[in-house]
Amino acid sequence: MIRGFAAALALSLLSTAALADAPAPAPYDWTGLYAGASLGLASANGTAADLDFYNYAETTRTYSSSIMGSLDAGYNLQRGNIVYGVEADLGVLDAGRHYEFYGPSYEPCAYCTTSRIGALGSARARVGVAFDKALIYATGGLAFGQVNNRWEYTGVKASDNGWKTGYAVGAGIDYAVSPSWTVRAEGIYYALEATTVGSTSPTNSFRFKNTAQVARLGVNYSFDAKSMADGAASEAVSWTGPYVGASAGRVTAKGGSDDLDDYEYSRNYISASSSAIASVDAGYNLQMDSLVYGIEADIGKLRAISHEKWYDGGYKDCDYCMVNSISALGSVRGRLGYAFDKALFYATAGLAFGNVNNRWEESGSIKAIENEWRTGVAVGAGVDYALTQNWVVKAEGMRYDLGSKTVTENDYRFQFSNRADVFRMGVNYNF
């Protein structure tokens, strides 16, 4: 999820500090103890692998999303422009889904896998670079979560319930709005350890794994008095004007293939995949006092592709499967934000578009295919921070929902759907 660019971000932060011309300590002092709360969206993936090919299904995957509320506490230590810290967080959510491998011909979940996450937390180290009242950081450490995973076949054959550990990595931006209060935008990837569970009647082994990508906004209270002096060199930032930029991040994509006429005994297959995404954007802002109105267009390249098989054991890869993929995502959106001097917090929404390739395959032949550009809706939120009057860094979370389309082949109807959750960080140049 966020793993790919978190390490690169940490290196770039250290390089930025090292190459700065005689950097002076930031006027705002980040040293001290803090605590706070956040609210965001968690995109969860669950994997259940049948290691002994019981019921002809080797691996099933589920995708779900949930609102997540979290509490956090930590300590920062600032040395020049570099800020070191430790932080712990714990959040509650309800991200879970059933995978029906025999479809609606049977009672709900008579033949299914279930993956659910009820809580997520972490204990992480942080390193960042302070730009006056803004702190841009990377973070990583221990993750833990409460899971409920089951494999059911006319009864529970294997279950994996309890607390699991793993790792968490991410990045974000903190901004001081007063001497004691800071706001933040953050993306964290939680990967919990895989667990192998044995079953009886029959004697089989099943492996469960859970991951989640979280994008959230929060507020923290610092227990140490801070100085908010900007210094003589500080200058007011105007957000009005055109800009262009680029960003990189991670996308979690969900694909759906719905057999509307029960052609293959299963009504709806859900797939999930992840990919890096690189995007370019351009836009225009108009500032009126502290409110900033704007319009922005973006387009990005990715490779999010997944296969789901309904017959697995003894068959070649994708002899009996559906495929969902997204190769490009873009949008044209309105933006509305509130400027705190050099920081701009905004919400955004508008038209989404993407290039999709969805297929339903059986015995090596394609039963139905959709390969085209599709439109939908994009919504999100983020924060921009002006390093100078011309250069701005950003952290942003977006959801692209490309809707669904029904394809008819040989009198059978198949409905394909695609959506994607994106967390990315970037840089823009203001003209």
Side-chain angles (χ1 to χ4, degrees):
M1 310 302 179
I2 304 168
R3 293 170 291 182
F5 70 93
L9 174 66
L11 291 176
S12 67
L13 293 176
L14 295 177
S15 299
T16 300
L19 294 176
D21 294 331
Y28 183 81
D29 182 13
W30 288 92
T31 296
L33 182 69
Y34 63 89
S38 62
L39 186 67
L41 178 68
S43 299
N45 288 303
T47 301
D50 174 5
L51 302 181
D52 299 308
F53 297 101
Y54 179 62
N55 201 54
Y56 306 104
E58 180 185 356
T59 301
T60 65
R61 298 176 179 86
T62 59
Y63 170 95
S64 59
S65 59
S66 169
I67 299 297
M68 179 175 174
S70 302
L71 299 175
D72 65 83
Y75 184 86
N76 290 322
L77 178 63
Q78 183 168 353
R79 291 291 182 263
N81 288 79
I82 305 299
V83 178
Y84 308 91
V86 291
E87 182 175 292
D89 69 277
L90 179 62
V92 293
L93 65 159
D94 185 19
R97 191 180 182 92
H98 304 296
Y99 181 99
E100 304 272 359
F101 47 82
Y102 273 175
S105 300
Y106 300 88
E107 296 180 2
C109 218
Y111 303 88
C112 77
T113 61
T114 300
S115 295
R116 185 173 299 277
I117 303 177
L120 280 173
S122 65
R124 295 171 280 106
R126 306 201 315 165
V127 60
V129 177
F131 298 90
D132 191 10
K133 292 176 284 189
L135 172 62
I136 304 173
Y137 62 88
T139 183
L142 174 74
F144 50 90
Q146 194 276 328
V147 303
N148 185 333
N149 299 311
R150 301 191 307 275
W151 189 291
E152 301 183 40
Y153 190 95
T154 62
V156 177
K157 296 300 181 183
S159 63
D160 174 32
N161 302 318
W163 288 87
K164 304 295 179 184
T165 58
Y167 68 89
V169 293
I173 298 178
D174 287 349
Y175 184 78
V177 295
S178 77
S180 297
W181 291 97
T182 63
V183 291
R184 80 166 34 165
E186 182 179 63
I188 300 287
Y189 174 77
Y190 299 85
L192 303 179
E193 63 182 323
T195 303
T196 300
V197 179
S199 70
T200 59
S201 182
T203 303
N204 279 68
S205 297
F206 302 87
R207 175 176 285 267
F208 299 102
K209 185 176 182 180
N210 302 85
T211 62
Q213 176 175 295
V214 177
R216 56 194 176 197
L217 298 174
V219 59
N220 284 319
Y221 179 81
S222 174
F223 294 96
D224 297 277
K226 306 294 181 182
S227 169
M228 294 293 290
D230 288 330
S234 179
E235 60 176 330
V237 171
S238 171
W239 290 96
T240 296
Y243 61 89
V244 296
S247 62
R250 201 72 179 173
V251 56
T252 299
K254 173 191 172 183
S257 296
D258 200 344
D259 176 5
L260 299 178
D261 299 309
D262 299 336
Y263 171 67
E264 199 56 58
Y265 307 107
S266 186
R267 184 169 182 267
N268 192 7
Y269 286 92
I270 303 296
S271 68
S273 59
S274 61
S275 166
I277 182 171
S279 304
V280 294
D281 63 81
Y284 186 89
N285 287 323
L286 176 62
Q287 182 171 1
M288 295 183 175
D289 295 325
S290 295
L291 289 179
V292 179
Y293 307 87
I295 186 170
E296 180 175 291
D298 70 276
I299 187 167
K301 181 67 176 177
L302 65 155
R303 188 177 184 272
I305 182 170
S306 61
H307 302 75
E308 282 298 329
K309 308 175 187 179
W310 59 84
Y311 293 148
D312 203 341
Y315 296 96
K316 295 181 180 180
D317 184 46
C318 219
D319 268 0
Y320 297 85
C321 79
M322 60 88 172
V323 180
N324 297 112
S325 69
I326 304 176
S327 60
L329 277 174
S331 64
V332 179
R333 297 171 278 109
R335 304 203 320 168
L336 176 62
Y338 192 89
F340 295 91
D341 191 14
K342 297 180 182 179
L344 171 62
F345 291 84
Y346 63 87
T348 181
L351 173 73
F353 53 90
N355 182 259
V356 301
N357 187 319
N358 300 308
R359 305 190 304 276
W360 193 287
E361 301 184 21
E362 180 180 342
S363 301
S365 64
I366 297 176
K367 295 300 181 182
I369 186 170
E370 178 201 13
N371 187 6
E372 63 183 17
W373 287 85
R374 199 195 296 162
T375 58
V377 176
V379 295
V383 56
D384 290 350
Y385 182 78
L387 302 178
T388 69
Q389 183 62 59
N390 297 109
W391 289 102
V392 174
V393 292
K394 69 160 53 175
E396 183 177 62
M398 295 289 304
R399 167 164 286 189
Y400 298 82
D401 191 334
L402 300 179
S404 61
K405 181 176 181 179
T406 299
V407 177
T408 301
E409 295 288 343
N410 298 322
D411 296 326
Y412 290 102
R413 297 170 302 146
F414 301 88
Q415 186 178 76
F416 298 111
S417 61
N418 302 85
R419 78 180 187 201
D421 295 323
V422 177
F423 178 79
R424 58 193 173 200
M425 302 190 76
V427 59
N428 286 330
Y429 182 81
N430 291 334
F431 294 98

